[in-house]
């Protein structure tokens, strides 16, 4: 068994228990862990670290690809082991600690974390902990269900812990394409011209002497928590697909569209699922994360190829895909997130990028991260990498939240993650606003007329008209611009009067 | 004379008066004109259009590279000829018409205008009007002091008017490097690996039959309006240069730094000038605009090469450079703005990008465009193209304005052009805040301690501390977040009490 999974015999002696490996992580270290959208995180070692921290307190800076599964962020937070965390998270307990100022959270564009490490602008990991299906004859590491920042962490760290996940087939080898840009100033173009190009290696190259421990684990990825589409989610998908049909009819897109990037979550999943019944054919994905809907599209013969940095699916879908990986392997590739999200590639390919907004305002500025301007939800993730460079930058959200107490369309967003310069199409279940080539006042008209819930439309019209009377390129009444958010905070409803 | 400047004889018969050429521009047309930062705009034809519009009213959509000189925007506005304008402007009269809602202004990242035309997302020009020093044997167009979007406009338009500027030497030929990305999905990498690489042609390729008029002009570019450095501007430059020295000492930058992008204006010019006395050597620029300071650096032997999309200099500097172009030609290149600002190149080269902020907030969000959240100044220009992808994204501003009535550092910016995700270093004459790797609460501490004018420091500290007590990743008190701007609007001073 061990020699199947560890094909370089000299490494067999590095096999250790999770506790022994976790003991290599010292107080104050920067730790780079695998894991992207709750897929492919190391599991046994961080959980052993949690147990150790209960007896022997420590604090680390934890850097990952994106979010971790298996409640690892929750458990590390509960034992007080996180001093700093970057670049993304989705855990309730950690979120509370972040918002309480107990954990310093650095919310970053997901393509930039390792670029900043490469330039020594943020600390490189002292130690890397990465999940693998196997180690090759050369001692190189074959990742599991995500690549994330693992290859860079392994390159930067002085010590590497490999956690071999025995629940996943070694046949995953060949799925990955590991390519890292050169150091500046001698960097060359990233020679990826279409999503199915392979430009790297199938395993993470490493000097085997850096591998200080190999741990076996039989823990699985946490299943996707995307919910099935409801009527509003479905309406959003329908509006967007109808719009794309019109773009094809107008000759602005081919019937195969452009490479699709679809953010994670329920709405995004519904949009992709909706494509199964669409007239589009020969679709390709160039995305961060593949969800269940990718495999629906592949199975339906609608999708030719999907490139991403991770696969985050439901338990049944995981069984279908990873239990029959040979069937899918030539139609999939997993890349470092630096490449899946690279501005160079996103602009070259001209992706259609579909991401979820928390709220947007009448001028098309989008808040993806902060509830009422202060409280972090998850982080910006890769949405900025894509929206800035996509051919079509789409943001989707339901028009209201909390039973109608919150309008997702507001006079002024309480926090900006994507400026109006980067947003082309906004969609709610009410309808779709096409903002391309419009000045701010025209954008406001398109958004109010098409995207706002009827309960909020007259209040937004009133705000906008009075703001226009005051003047400006992007007319605002600053005294009222954040009033809806203040109402919500103080009285639980955006339209409550004091 | 004509045959020196028009080397394809069949085009000699296209020579027309400016009035005749302007008559080809029809009411309702989209017109693509040369011109970038008041350099290299067509002059005689738009001025003739102004005269014509006085008698024969018309409205056009005017698209340029960036700002125009010779009061062209002012005069076109005064005769009511502008229905829509993109992507940038700097004129007071036009600014007022924009803010009054009379001209629809679309403020765009300067690398994106032609990308959106290529994808047919905004209208392509019906007619292009571009300034040239000459037309080649093949009928191709040799631009003058800027390239901007001219090559793309010529490619997209059905009709092309060439305005030959006889004040500039035909020896400018060879200065330009015209390369345009291919159409998607067949686009290849832009194979530019260092600022002095040449990847294109020295003239704008065009089917000569599209050239419908050639006009001779003897009007010069408007001279640069950058002011000499004052003590505050100089202090900003000094702080930044000191920081760069520390980066070199720490091994994070080589002594030649990285390719420099420096925005236009007085502070930026002072920073570049300051490099003359610095210990750095073998510098290179990869910028949008070259100002007087570039030529100081070149003449001092500090700068090896400068790449940009335009040259905007004072009258004496213009005489020095364009009167001795042979001396400078092998150290300069002018490119389409799509290439000078391309995210792909900016990230590959890892530029140090220095741009001017109107205001920034305690979390590092930057407002480059809107006074008090509503009124447009100039536009975002290329700052977003650079800041997102630079190795070091620097924003500079004086700490106060209007005799101290305005603090440039505020609790929350009234408009966001660059989010904190994209800002690394903020500098005022007070000092420099290094935000790299900091969480928002730490960023606030660095900014308040280092950049804020003493008159505003205690008020910002008070806001920040009370906001932190409320909690959040990016703590704000929404009821007060914009109060400083409201004070300014209502009482003329940010700290005035009602």
């Amino acid at each position: 068994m061990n020699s199947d999974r560890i094909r370089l015999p000299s490494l067999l002696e590095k096999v250790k228990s999770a506790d022994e490996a976790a003991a290599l992580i010292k107080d104050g270290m920067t730790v780079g862990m695998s894991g992207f959208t709750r897929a492919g995180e190391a599991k046994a070692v961080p959980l052993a670290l949690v147990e150790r921290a209960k007896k022997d307190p420590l604090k680390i800076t934890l850097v990952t690809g994106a979010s971790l599964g298996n409640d690892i962020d929750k458990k590390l937070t509960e034992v007080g082991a996180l001093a700093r965390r970057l670049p993304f998270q989705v855990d309730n307990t950690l979120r509370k600690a972040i918002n309480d100022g107990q954990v310093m959270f650095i919310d970053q564009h997901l393509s930039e974390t390792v670029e900043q490490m490469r330039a020594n602008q943020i600390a490189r990991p002292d130690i890397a902990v990465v999940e693998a299906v196997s180690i090759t004859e050369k001692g190189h590491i074959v990742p599991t269900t995500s690549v994330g920042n693992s290859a860079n962490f392994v390159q930067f760290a002085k010590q590497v812990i490999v956690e071999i996940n025995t629940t996943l087939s070694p046949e995953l080898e060949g799925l990955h394409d590991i390519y890292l840009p050169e150091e500046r100033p001698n960097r060359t173009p990233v020679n990826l011209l279409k999503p199915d190009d392979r430009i790297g290696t199938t395993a993470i190259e490493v000097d085997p002497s850096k591998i200080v421990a190999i741990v076996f684990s039989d823990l699985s990825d946490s299943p996707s928590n995307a919910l099935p589409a409801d009527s509003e989610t479905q309406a959003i998908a329908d509006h967007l697909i109808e719009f794309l049909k019109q773009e094809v009819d107008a000759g602005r897109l081919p019937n195969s569209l452009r490479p699709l990037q679809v953010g994670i979550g329920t709405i995004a999943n519904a949009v992709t699922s909706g494509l199964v019944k669409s007239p589009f054919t020969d679709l390709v994905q160039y995305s961060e994360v593949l969800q269940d809907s990718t495999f629906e599209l592949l199975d339906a013969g609608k999708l030719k190829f999907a490139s991403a940095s991770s696969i985050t699916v439901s338990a049944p879908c995981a069984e279908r895909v990873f239990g029959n990986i040979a069937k899918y392997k030539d139609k999939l590739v997993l890349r470092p997130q630096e490449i899946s999200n690279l501005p160079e590639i996103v602009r070259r390919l001209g992706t259609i990028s579909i991401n979820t907004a928390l709220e947007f305002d009448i001028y098309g500025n989008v808040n993806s991260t902060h509830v009422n301007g202060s409280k972090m939800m998850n982080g910006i993730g890769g949405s900025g990498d894509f929206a800035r460079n996509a051919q079509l930058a789409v943001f989707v959200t339901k028009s209201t939240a909390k039973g109608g107490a919150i309008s997702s369309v507001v006079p002024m967003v309480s926090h900006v993650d994507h400026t109006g310069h980067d947003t082309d199409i906004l969609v709610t279940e009410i309808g779709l606003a096409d903002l391309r080539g419009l000045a701010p006042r025209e954008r406001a008209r398109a958004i109010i007329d098409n995207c706002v819930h009827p309960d909020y439309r007259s209040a937004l019209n009133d705000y906008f008209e009075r703001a226009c009377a005051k003047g400006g390129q992007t007319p605002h009444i600053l005294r009222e611009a954040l009033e809806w958010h203040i109402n919500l905070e103080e009285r639980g409803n955006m339209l409550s009067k004091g």
Side-chain angles (χ1 to χ4, degrees), chain A residues 88-164:
Chain A
F88 189 80
Q89 58 75 41
V90 298
D91 180 75
N92 271 325
T93 302
L94 174 53
R95 187 179 291 146
K96 182 169 185 317
I98 288 168
N99 287 319
D100 289 348
Q102 288 156 11
V103 176
M104 291 294 103
F105 178 55
I106 297 129
D107 174 32
Q108 301 189 303
H109 297 303
L110 293 185
S111 75
E112 294 193 345
T113 307
V114 292
E115 190 77 289
Q116 292 176 11
M117 287 180 177
R118 194 180 281 122
N120 290 304
Q121 296 181 313
I122 59 175
R124 296 179 176 202
D126 298 294
I127 193 163
V129 188
V130 299
E131 196 186 59
V133 289
S134 59
I135 297 176
T136 70
E137 291 78 0
K138 291 181 173 167
H140 297 174
I141 299 162
V142 181
T144 61
T145 52
S146 70
V147 178
N149 287 323
S150 298
N152 307 73
F153 293 162
V154 164
Q155 186 186 50
F156 295 143
K158 291 175 278 294
Q159 298 184 307
V160 176
I161 299 172
V162 181
E163 183 171 314
I164 293 181

Side-chain angles (χ1 to χ4, degrees), chain A residues 377-389:
Chain A
M377 280 289 291
N378 302 330
I380 191 169
S383 54
D385 292 320
F386 285 98
R388 172 67 55 92
N389 291 295

Side-chain angles (χ1 to χ4, degrees), chain A residues 51-63:
Chain A
E51 291 309 311
R52 183 187 132 206
K54 287 179 183 170
K55 291 162 275 177
D56 179 11
L58 84 170
K59 285 208 181 283
I60 61 169
T61 294
L62 176 58
V63 197

Side-chain angles (χ1 to χ4, degrees), chain A residues 232 357-360 367 370-372 377 397-411 414 428-429 451-456 460 484-489 491-496:
Chain A
E232 291 175 345
L358 206 57
E359 61 178 3
F360 54 80
N367 175 7
H370 281 72
V371 176
N372 260 13
M377 280 289 291
T397 183
K398 294 186 184 186
S399 70
T400 62
K402 299 250 173 191
I406 295 174
S407 173
S408 307
V409 192
V410 293
S414 58
T428 68
E429 81 283 4
C451 296
V452 178
H453 192 279
D455 291 352
Y456 287 89
L460 266 185
W484 293 23
H485 298 92
I486 297 168
N487 282 339
L488 177 67
E489 207 170 51
R491 288 184 284 279
N493 187 300
M494 281 195 167
L495 291 187
S496 290

Side-chain angles (χ1 to χ4, degrees), chain A residues 359-366 395 397 399 407-413 419-420 423-428 430-436 438-454 456-457 460-461 464 474:
Chain A
E359 61 178 3
F360 54 80
D361 68 26
I362 55 173
Y363 299 113
N365 300 292
V366 169
F395 283 90
T397 183
S399 70
S407 173
S408 307
V409 192
V410 293
M412 176 186 267
V413 285
T419 72
T423 60
D424 296 317
I425 307 290
L426 302 179
V427 198
T428 68
I430 306 295
L432 179 147
D434 180 354
L435 308 179
R436 294 173 299 173
L438 300 187
R441 291 178 191 221
E442 297 169 316
R443 294 168 77 97
R445 201 64 276 146
I447 291 169
I448 298 173
D449 289 349
N450 291 290
C451 296
V452 178
H453 192 279
Y456 287 89
R457 191 172 292 151
L460 266 185
N461 266 323
F464 175 57
T474 306

